[in-house]
Amino acid sequence: MLRQRDTRKLVTGLLIVLTALAVSCSRNPDVTKRKYLLTGDKYFALGKYRQASIMYRSAIRLDARFGEAYYRLASAELKQGRINEAVKPLRAAVELLPHGADGASAKSSLANIYLSFLEGSVKDPALRSESEALVADLLRSEASAYDGHRLKARLAMLDARDASRRGLPDEVKQRLLESIREFRQADAIKPFQLDIIAPLGRSLMSDRQFAEAEKVYRAQIGHDKTSVPMYGELYNLYVRQRRLDDAESVLKEGLANNPKELLFLTNLATHYHNLGRKDEAVATVEKLKSAGKGTKELQRTVGALYVKLGNLDEAIRQYELGIRTEPNGKSYYQKRIAEVLISARRNEEAGRIIESILKDDPKDGEARLIYASNFLEQRDVNRAITELRSALQANLSNPLARYLLGSALMDQGQNELALPELQKAMQLDTGYLPARLKFAQLQVLLDQNEGAIKTTQNIFEDFNPDILPAKLIRAVALRNLGRFEEARAEIHAVLKRAPGSSDAMLQLAEIHLSEKSYQEAEKAFRMSYQHNPADLRGLLRIVDMYIARGDSGKALRMLDVESKKYPGRLDLRRALADMSVRTHSYDSAITGYKAILTQIDPKSKMAGEVLAGLGEAYRSSGQYDLALQSLERARQQLPEDAAVLSNLALTMLHLGRNADAKELYEKTFNLQSENPVALNNLAYLIAERNGDLDTALTFAQRARQKWPAVQEISDTVAWIYLKKNLTENAIEILADLVSRRPTQPTFRYHLGAAWLQKGEKTKARKELEHALINRPSQEEAAKIKALLAKAAS
């Protein structure tokens, strides 16, 4: 019989043994890593993926070759949308796990990620090779054959896209058929999977097997009427075939089969809007409001639809209702209201809303982008650029900020700086169509026409072959390369889809002009203006044609007739005043500008622009004090406008205020160091004031590289050559300019000066006399007369 003291000794001994066992277990890394794995799995099952990742990493720290933990860690990272962070653990899992369920799943996930990269902007042969190896491994096992065929089909689609970009139609066909075959094999193993059916249908559409694609989508809907994405795929198929009644029907069918799915009403309203069936669109939105009553975030959808329908007041009301029903979404709705106000040109109201958002949250990147957009709408490009650069400091990977910054730099003429911003926007979001279109436009501006054709071709392949803005850009690039028939075919394709497109009519006219078919060009420009009188571009191009032929009187009469036809149209009256300056009818221009100023808000942006025109008219007519007054007032409205600052600087020069002029040019140059206007004008100022001619030539040549088609910049380069006694170089440029614009007095004056410098007095007199006939400014007239006196001696 044990005594009590002995019993206590026994219990104590047992506790010591158990504690020792526990300690020995806790020191066993295999046991501990399994505990971490199991704990991670529990967190994963609860949707706590960040905590799960921590547990899996703890397991890996105990065993760097723990394949299961790597696979689970990758799965947790993918659940958090951290795709790049999932690659490394997936690679480890593929290496360490046997070819069981997890091993096959790891290979499938890794290949999926690689293909997503390759389908985007990544061009990596090693990644492609590794993807092929993973797919081949999956195809070796019957258990993973479904994923193998599915991924092999995606590889074939990728090859078809690349072959199309290389212009290899036979290979495109071959690869598309291969993708269709592989998708069908995957479907045979595991039928009716959405990740097979949707891309199979798209491959069939790409191969123009429209009937087969329709069968595939219809079979899926027949199998599962709740397959909402399939209705969308079938809708897109019908739209592409221009089967618009069928497209409408499939949306209604989807709604009937899924009455609680509001997406169908949203898409129906958009469909009616796109077809111009406004009443039906509005009625559908009303149905959506009723059917979705009480649905979370309903006002977001309804407000966006009213924006599409052009009912901006109702859109604002819906967003304001959203603030009341969804207080946590206040910032979202305020930003949408600001966007609507910007589109309605209520810029001050929009600015106040965004400023209040930024006051509460200075790091709100989206609000800062809208703020920048507001400045862009007001053509305050410098303020916009400042805000965009601030937004990018907070998030370098924002494609919209990159796109807007590139667009703003283009507006300033800083095209070389815009190029990398747009390229980065495209890389960050390969599906962002506006960035691709703007990039193609920039390529045309930089005379990279072959590049623009390639960019638009990629747009057609990656998005839709009927994207009209891309066709128009492509037509311009083809015209610039002299491929007129191809350009005309693109324009006719646009006009077939959009018969009233002013842009297409204008481009058709430009093709006629390039072919020197002047009557056809004028007819097409006139049709563009008559079709849409609110768009002055066609009318102004006709006016340009008259001026190029030396008939400035006819140009002015045409604008005068149109202005009298629409007496309330300030844009026509302003165009007439602008043209009067170009044709040296300064008194008429001054009268016109003054009349406009009496009818507009004196503090508006338009007032600043009209004052700038008035100042130029005064300066060109030698009324420098009045020019100074007008331009100073214009500067108050447009403090960082390069043209205003340049004209003000020229006026200062005429008044003998050289230091003030130099300061203005330097300010313009500092604000926009790559602006061709600033570069050109600063170069001209340096040359005229006998400054460093090498510096002046550098600035002028940089301006000419940016705007090679602007003849006034070429004239500046030639004038500096003349100052440097490079007479032959100057004559070569000036003779070409005079042949192109024989009625431009400055070009004649400079060519006359060049011939005189070379000692060719007869040729000099001829050019200088022509310069006088073409009504130069008073200052130039005095200089021309002085040179004529020298040529006569």
Side-chain angles (χ1 to χ4, degrees):
M1 183 176 176
L2 290 171
R3 291 174 294 178
Q4 187 175 1
R5 188 173 62 179
D6 295 329
T7 304
R8 283 199 301 269
K9 284 182 179 179
L10 180 60
V11 171
T12 303
L14 284 169
L15 286 172
I16 291 170
V17 171
L18 290 171
T19 303
L21 283 171
V23 169
S24 75
C25 285
S26 68
R27 289 177 180 172
N28 185 332
D30 286 333
V31 173
T32 307
K33 76 181 185 183
R34 284 285 166 190
K35 286 183 177 179
Y36 282 133
L37 188 74
L38 290 171
T39 305
D41 289 346
K42 289 176 182 177
Y43 279 128
F44 192 98
L46 294 170
K48 297 181 178 181
Y49 304 117
R50 187 178 65 82
Q51 293 91 329
S53 294
I54 293 170
M55 292 295 105
Y56 297 141
R57 291 182 194 280
S58 298
I60 290 166
R61 278 195 291 271
L62 289 172
D63 182 359
R65 297 188 62 78
F66 193 8
E68 288 178 75
Y70 282 113
Y71 173 64
R72 310 285 175 83
L73 172 60
S75 300
E77 296 293 350
L78 288 172
K79 285 289 187 180
Q80 297 174 81
R82 293 158 53 89
I83 295 172
N84 290 330
E85 288 78 2
V87 171
K88 188 175 179 181
L90 275 175
R91 278 178 166 159
V94 166
E95 178 188 345
L96 297 169
L97 287 172
H99 193 84
D102 282 355
S105 183
K107 290 174 183 176
S108 176
S109 295
L110 187 57
N112 265 322
I113 292 173
Y114 286 164
L115 280 171
S116 296
F117 291 158
L118 292 167
E119 287 163 349
S121 58
V122 175
K123 306 295 180 189
D124 187 340
L127 213 59
R128 170 62 192 248
S129 178
E130 195 173 341
S131 301
E132 289 175 346
L134 289 166
V135 170
D137 280 349
L138 291 167
L139 285 170
R140 288 190 187 101
S141 168
E142 187 176 338
S144 58
Y146 168 80
D147 279 329
H149 288 298
R150 175 177 62 83
L151 293 165
K152 190 174 181 182
R154 283 177 64 187
L155 281 169
M157 288 180 73
L158 187 62
D159 289 338
R161 185 191 72 180
D162 292 342
S164 177
R165 288 178 176 175
R166 297 196 310 273
L168 303 171
D170 291 340
E171 187 175 343
V172 171
K173 176 78 173 176
Q174 180 184 344
R175 296 303 182 185
L176 282 175
L177 292 176
E178 181 185 353
S179 75
I180 292 166
R181 184 172 62 251
E182 293 295 331
F183 278 132
R184 288 198 185 279
Q185 284 186 265
D187 183 53
I189 295 169
K190 196 186 294 187
F192 300 117
Q193 301 300 306
L194 292 182
D195 61 350
I196 292 296
I197 299 302
L200 170 58
R202 290 177 203 148
S203 288
L204 289 164
M205 285 172 64
S206 296
D207 195 43
R208 304 191 68 78
Q209 296 186 47
F210 299 123
E212 281 299 310
E214 185 175 4
K215 284 180 186 176
V216 166
Y217 293 144
R218 275 290 169 200
Q220 181 68 27
I221 291 172
H223 172 73
D224 180 7
K225 290 181 172 57
T226 66
S227 294
V228 173
M230 285 304 101
Y231 296 97
E233 296 286 346
L234 191 53
Y235 173 83
N236 291 334
L237 170 62
Y238 289 147
V239 168
R240 181 168 176 180
Q241 295 177 282
R242 306 301 294 164
R243 293 166 59 184
L244 301 180
D245 289 340
D246 289 334
E248 179 182 343
S249 294
V250 80
L251 292 178
K252 289 179 176 178
E253 178 187 347
L255 180 61
N257 291 332
N258 303 272
K260 293 184 179 180
E261 183 55 69
L262 300 181
L263 178 65
F264 291 108
L265 284 171
T266 301
N267 289 343
L268 262 173
T270 303
H271 176 78
Y272 291 139
H273 166 66
N274 291 340
L275 294 179
R277 293 158 63 180
K278 185 174 180 180
D279 291 344
E280 290 166 280
V282 171
T284 306
V285 175
E286 291 300 319
K287 284 183 186 176
L288 175 62
K289 286 163 64 177
S290 176
K293 195 170 184 179
T295 304
K296 187 180 178 183
E297 300 182 353
L298 175 68
Q299 275 66 43
R300 301 187 182 205
T301 301
V302 174
L305 284 171
Y306 277 121
V307 170
K308 279 186 181 179
L309 295 173
N311 192 339
L312 302 185
D313 289 337
E314 185 58 38
I316 290 173
R317 276 193 287 274
Q318 289 297 319
Y319 290 142
E320 288 173 342
L321 177 60
I323 293 174
R324 294 194 295 275
T325 58
E326 191 187 337
N328 291 338
K330 179 181 176 182
S331 175
Y332 170 87
Y333 286 111
Q334 284 182 313
K335 285 180 277 195
R336 301 294 80 77
I337 291 170
E339 288 173 336
V340 173
L341 291 170
I342 290 170
S343 65
R345 300 188 181 279
R346 293 159 62 181
N347 302 98
E348 289 186 10
E349 294 174 70
R352 286 195 294 271
I353 290 173
I354 296 300
E355 284 165 8
S356 71
I357 296 173
L358 290 172
K359 185 178 179 181
D360 294 336
D361 182 8
K363 294 183 179 179
D364 189 325
E366 185 187 11
R368 201 161 289 283
L369 288 179
I370 297 170
Y371 201 38
S373 300
N374 197 30
F375 288 126
L376 284 175
E377 283 291 324
Q378 298 174 80
R379 291 167 60 186
D380 191 344
V381 180
N382 290 309
R383 289 281 300 277
I385 287 174
T386 299
E387 290 299 326
L388 289 166
R389 285 180 169 149
S390 177
L392 281 169
Q393 284 178 356
N395 181 7
L396 290 170
S397 300
N398 189 317
L400 178 58
R402 295 284 184 186
Y403 164 72
L404 290 173
L405 180 56
S407 300
L409 291 167
M410 280 177 67
D411 287 345
Q412 283 191 332
Q414 303 194 74
N415 294 332
E416 283 81 1
L417 294 179
L419 194 70
E421 298 297 339
L422 293 173
Q423 284 176 319
K424 189 66 176 175
M426 291 162 57
Q427 290 168 4
L428 291 168
D429 186 353
T430 57
Y432 189 37
L433 180 59
R436 294 222 213 172
L437 290 170
K438 184 68 74 170
F439 183 69
Q441 284 181 322
L442 182 54
Q443 287 177 303
V444 171
L445 287 174
L446 293 171
D447 205 26
Q448 298 175 8
N449 295 295
E450 292 287 2
I453 291 170
K454 183 177 179 181
T455 299
T456 52
Q457 183 61 34
N458 291 344
I459 289 171
F460 297 146
E461 291 163 5
D462 295 344
F463 294 91
N464 188 311
D466 294 323
I467 292 177
L468 302 190
K471 284 186 172 295
L472 288 169
I473 295 168
R474 185 182 184 85
V476 175
L478 290 165
R479 174 169 59 82
N480 290 344
L481 292 170
R483 293 159 61 178
F484 300 129
E485 285 306 314
E486 292 173 78
R488 187 177 282 105
E490 295 289 352
I491 296 299
H492 284 310
V494 173
L495 287 171
K496 185 177 180 180
R497 291 283 309 279
S501 170
S502 295
D503 288 324
M505 291 182 194
L506 288 167
Q507 288 306 322
L508 187 59
E510 295 291 353
I511 293 170
H512 290 313
L513 197 58
S514 297
E515 294 174 319
K516 298 184 178 179
S517 300
Y518 299 117
Q519 288 184 338
E520 289 299 316
E522 182 174 339
K523 180 181 176 182
F525 283 132
R526 196 177 299 277
M527 281 180 62
S528 168
Y529 175 62
Q530 289 172 346
H531 183 80
N532 182 12
D535 186 345
L536 295 184
R537 290 177 297 169
L539 176 67
L540 294 179
R541 289 298 283 131
I542 297 172
V543 168
D544 287 337
M545 289 176 65
Y546 291 158
I547 289 175
R549 295 203 296 258
D551 197 346
S552 57
K554 189 173 183 179
L556 286 172
R557 285 193 298 276
M558 185 175 191
L559 281 174
D560 187 49
V561 167
E562 291 301 314
S563 181
K564 288 175 179 173
K565 189 188 299 183
Y566 303 103
R569 292 271 304 270
L570 293 181
D571 57 341
L572 278 166
R573 290 165 61 186
R574 186 172 160 194
L576 177 59
D578 291 342
M579 195 57 62
S580 296
V581 174
R582 280 182 62 185
T583 56
H584 313 295
S585 302
Y586 301 120
D587 290 341
S588 297
I590 290 166
T591 301
Y593 287 131
K594 283 183 172 180
I596 294 170
L597 285 170
T598 64
Q599 296 182 262
I600 59 177
D601 179 357
K603 293 183 179 179
S604 67
K605 189 174 185 66
M606 184 178 179
E609 293 168 349
V610 173
L611 283 165
L614 179 60
E616 185 177 356
Y618 278 136
R619 179 185 61 76
S620 299
S621 62
Q623 301 179 69
Y624 301 121
D625 288 326
L626 291 173
L628 185 63
Q629 292 175 24
S630 294
L631 290 168
E632 286 285 16
R633 288 173 61 196
R635 188 185 182 189
Q636 292 174 7
Q637 307 297 101
L638 311 167
E640 295 181 347
D641 187 287
V644 172
L645 293 174
S646 298
N647 266 324
L648 189 54
L650 283 172
T651 305
M652 296 288 193
L653 285 176
H654 290 302
L655 291 170
R657 295 169 58 177
N658 294 352
D660 291 334
K662 189 170 185 293
E663 182 182 338
L664 281 167
Y665 274 128
E666 286 176 348
K667 180 178 180 182
T668 308
F669 188 67
N670 289 334
L671 286 169
Q672 304 175 10
S673 61
E674 295 301 314
N675 186 305
V677 175
L679 287 166
N680 178 71
N681 291 346
L682 188 54
Y684 196 82
L685 172 66
I686 293 169
E688 283 292 281
R689 299 303 160 189
N690 298 317
D692 184 341
L693 292 175
D694 289 331
T695 300
L697 185 60
T698 299
F699 288 162
Q701 287 174 330
R702 277 169 61 188
R704 194 183 188 194
Q705 286 172 355
K706 296 173 188 307
W707 279 359
V710 177
Q711 295 163 343
E712 284 75 9
I713 295 177
S714 295
D715 175 68
T716 299
V717 173
W719 191 239
I720 296 169
Y721 279 146
L722 199 60
K723 295 267 186 179
K724 288 171 66 70
N725 292 315
L726 298 170
T727 313
E728 292 294 342
N729 300 75
I731 289 173
E732 181 182 356
I733 295 173
L734 290 165
D736 178 64
L737 292 176
V738 167
S739 70
R740 292 170 182 270
R741 286 173 64 187
T743 61
Q744 219 288 353
T746 302
F747 298 165
R748 291 276 194 180
Y749 154 47
H750 288 167
L751 182 56
W755 285 124
L756 187 60
Q757 185 167 291
K758 191 178 179 183
E760 298 275 1
K761 291 186 176 182
T762 302
K763 291 181 178 179
R765 281 198 302 273
K766 176 186 172 185
E767 295 301 331
L768 293 168
E769 286 167 357
H770 273 292
L772 275 179
I773 291 169
N774 285 296
R775 301 175 65 194
S777 67
Q778 293 178 6
E779 182 185 11
E780 278 193 352
K783 291 178 179 179
I784 292 166
K785 288 173 183 176
L787 287 180
L788 273 170
K790 284 185 182 180
S793 62

